[in-house]
Amino acid sequence: MSAHELLNALSRLYPADRLLTDDVHLASYESDGLTAFAARPRAVVVPETGQDVIETVRLCSRTNVPFVARGSGTSLSGGCLPVEDGIVIALNRLNRILDLDPVRRIAIVEPGVVNLTVSEKAAVHDLYFAPDPSSQQVCTIGGNVAFNSGGAHCLKYGMTTNHVLGLKLVLATGEVVEFGGDSLEMIGPDWTSLFAGSEGLFGVALEITLRLLPKVEAYHTVLAGYESLEKAGDAVSMIVSSGLLPGALEIMDKLAIEAAEYAVNAGYPKDVDAVLIVELEGPAEELDAEKPLLAELLRSSGPTETHVAVDAIERARIWRGRKSAFSAVGRLSPDFIVQDGVVPRNRLGEALRKIKDVGEEYDVRIANVFHAGDGNLHPLIMYDANEKNSLEKTEKFGADILKYCVKVGGVLSGEHGVGVEKRELMCEMFNNNDIQQQIKIKKALDASSLLNPGKVYPILRKCAEEGRVHVHKGKTKFPDIPRF
């Protein structure tokens, strides 16, 4: 189908104000939070109902046009980049909470509902939605499902997949399917978990059934400063091995502290190399028993100072600094890339030393902000895209860190996904059989690779050149994605 014919077909589904084709509008959709990669789509459509989405997918299927579903575009791995000459389905107007049942503790939402909105609406019933990514004020539930988002409190409560009970989706063929339900008890294959974290490769969510939790009764939030990043990491290992299960364990290094303080004045100590945020949460009686143990563990870990939040205002200020850290680092550098590797918790201190050593070798500045409780590292690697080879050097540094994570028993991504950024590194983590099996699942659901092509699966010819995978010639086509 020619571009003209496709646009005519889309114009029969969408009014002019919801069919975007001019360069000014398309520019807003050609990149996500990882701006190093970009591609301009043929058109962006803005559905307002699930039926709009279904008809669009069916049109793309009939005409063999690739398409990408997108929420707020906060992905940090290039996971929702468009395909040149393809279609972007922008889901932000599918933002209704269809049902909120406080008795069954569930919410049924459309994919464009903002993460924080769920908790705000559930608060009147003393309930909330546990996954809390740093972008929760803007990121959508559809994106959370696609990337299996976590957040600061995933140590205790798990990732998005632990809070999604059911899904209604449209597959790349246009077929509408439903998986799971409204209960934790399921019979048969767990298709819901297969789709959660699949980065939009298998289908487009239309309705999502979420599990809600009772609001936490009490919090105990402590901010501890350390003279080195390694000491803060070792403190995390001590806390976890003690048997305590905090709601959150977060670390920020000196550069991240500097940026956050400048941005939001969170009250962090300025004369330390790292801060550790520890938050206990639960029934007040439980916290009364845990507070002395935490205090002793922190004392023995050798902090330069500790501060306990005395009320909700101080707690909010501490977390405001942590949640603003990613954007605040933009004050320190014109460009940066956020990595997302995971290491075993008992290798955390070692991993932080490795990042520091490799950073010095590459001569790059790094701000470290990460979910320490589950070993999810987020080094923010700073560079200037205007400097020759700066991006390439930064990417190579990031790749070396991720290879190290895999080498010591970790993984390539904790919550940001593989997207475009890490797809060639999949061959570091998975063998030939693993990758071929993953591609078989993709092809079983999307034989023509129309849905979000070019993501996750490596460009097999590159891995084949290094002898890491076997390529079935002519059968696998996942396009390259241009970059600036």
Side-chain angles (χ1 to χ4, degrees), residues 189-336:
D190 186 3
W191 295 106
T192 303
S193 293
L194 175 67
F195 274 76
S198 63
E199 303 195 25
L201 295 173
F202 298 159
V204 181
L206 302 173
E207 296 178 10
I208 304 161
T209 303
L210 304 175
R211 172 192 180 201
L212 303 177
L213 299 182
K215 288 181 69 174
V216 175
E217 179 182 334
Y219 294 96
H220 178 68
T221 308
V222 184
L223 181 71
Y226 291 86
E227 61 187 14
S228 73
L229 196 56
E230 293 85 355
K231 271 198 167 186
D234 292 339
V236 169
S237 298
M238 290 175 58
I239 291 169
V240 173
S241 63
S242 74
L244 273 181
L245 183 59
L249 279 167
E250 300 285 305
I251 290 179
M252 299 168 61
D253 73 0
K254 193 175 187 65
L255 276 177
I257 295 167
E258 176 187 333
E261 278 300 294
Y262 191 81
V264 299
N265 190 28
Y268 293 168
K270 296 184 174 71
D271 55 350
V272 297
D273 277 356
V275 293
L276 169 65
I277 302 170
V278 187
E279 183 161 274
L280 303 176
E281 56 180 63
E285 294 84 356
E286 182 179 305
L287 262 60
D288 287 342
E290 292 179 344
K291 287 176 188 178
L293 174 58
L294 176 61
E296 177 57 27
L297 288 167
L298 289 175
R299 186 197 62 76
S300 63
S301 68
T304 59
E305 60 181 283
T306 59
H307 175 74
V308 177
V310 297
D311 54 27
I313 294 174
E314 282 201 355
R315 174 180 178 262
R317 187 170 67 241
I318 290 172
W319 281 114
R320 186 164 63 248
R322 167 60 186 88
K323 288 183 176 289
S324 69
F326 281 15
S327 57
V329 167
R331 296 173 179 269
L332 305 180
S333 175
D335 303 283
F336 64 87

Side-chain angles (χ1 to χ4, degrees), residues 83 129 157 186 201 250 272 370 468 470:
V83 178
F129 182 57
Y157 297 106
M186 292 186 298
L201 295 173
E250 300 285 305
V272 297
F370 53 94
R468 293 186 288 180
H470 173 67

Side-chain angles (χ1 to χ4, degrees), residues 354-377:
K354 179 72 173 180
I355 291 173
K356 180 180 178 181
D357 292 344
V358 177
E360 291 175 353
E361 177 185 336
Y362 278 86
D363 190 27
V364 296
R365 297 175 74 204
I366 310 151
N368 284 285
V369 183
F370 53 94
H371 307 314
D374 59 351
N376 189 184
L377 307 172

Side-chain angles (χ1 to χ4, degrees), residues 427-440:
C427 300
E428 300 289 333
M429 184 171 170
F430 298 105
N431 62 31
N432 176 60
N433 290 335
D434 295 333
I435 291 175
Q436 296 298 341
Q437 189 61 41
Q438 291 178 49
I439 291 174
K440 284 181 182 178

Side-chain angles (χ1 to χ4, degrees), residues 458-475:
I459 304 298
L460 295 179
R461 64 176 178 273
K462 295 181 181 179
C463 293
E465 288 169 0
E466 301 175 18
R468 293 186 288 180
V469 298
H470 173 67
V471 178
H472 298 297
K473 292 184 179 179
K475 293 185 178 179

Side-chain angles (χ1 to χ4, degrees), residues 361-399:
E361 177 185 336
Y362 278 86
D363 190 27
V364 296
R365 297 175 74 204
I366 310 151
N368 284 285
V369 183
F370 53 94
H371 307 314
D374 59 351
N376 189 184
L377 307 172
H378 289 325
L380 291 85
I381 311 163
M382 293 175 251
Y383 71 100
D384 186 344
N386 295 315
E387 294 182 3
K388 186 178 180 180
N389 300 323
S390 177
L391 174 59
E392 289 75 11
K393 180 175 73 171
T394 301
E395 287 185 315
K396 191 173 187 306
F397 166 72

